[in-house]
Amino acid sequence: MDAIIQLLATSMWWLLPVSLLITAGFITAGLFHTYRAVRLLQLRNTPISDPVIAKALEGVKPPPYALYAAMYFAGGMIMAIATFLLQQTIH
């Protein structure tokens, strides 16, 4: 069994850096959506001076950026744990 793991570890050397990049991408996307959610909350009650735009935006709901951020952070944590377990298995 150790021979198979060593063979995979030497032939798939790129797996650990790629999984770290994917983890960083998830966390970066989570930070971006967190910023958007906070910014949207800050601008939520801003009055619109143009009546045509105000009428058009009357029933529009904003995207659920907080949900997106939570999902990306959860994906980042799952990838981080999987990367850690993979690294422990290989070494």
Side-chain angles (χ1 to χ4, degrees), residues 5-21:
I5 291 175
Q6 286 300 330
L7 177 67
L8 287 174
T10 56
S11 65
M12 298 181 74
W13 59 268
W14 51 269
L15 190 60
L16 186 65
V18 168
S19 62
L20 285 175
L21 282 174

Side-chain angles (χ1 to χ4, degrees), residues 15-35:
L15 190 60
L16 186 65
V18 168
S19 62
L20 285 175
L21 282 174
I22 292 170
T23 302
F26 274 128
I27 293 172
T28 303
L31 289 173
F32 171 74
H33 286 297
T34 301
Y35 169 75

Side-chain angles (χ1 to χ4, degrees), residues 9-76:
T10 56
S11 65
M12 298 181 74
W13 59 268
W14 51 269
L15 190 60
L16 186 65
V18 168
S19 62
L20 285 175
L21 282 174
I22 292 170
T23 302
F26 274 128
I27 293 172
T28 303
L31 289 173
F32 171 74
H33 286 297
T34 301
Y35 169 75
R36 297 286 299 253
V38 168
R39 189 73 179 132
L40 191 63
L41 281 175
Q42 289 174 348
L43 298 175
R44 191 168 74 188
N45 292 325
T46 303
I48 299 173
S49 59
D50 189 356
V52 175
I53 295 175
K55 179 86 170 152
L57 294 177
E58 196 171 82
V60 176
K61 290 185 178 180
Y65 288 121
L67 177 64
Y68 298 160
M71 293 314 235
Y72 275 113
F73 280 132

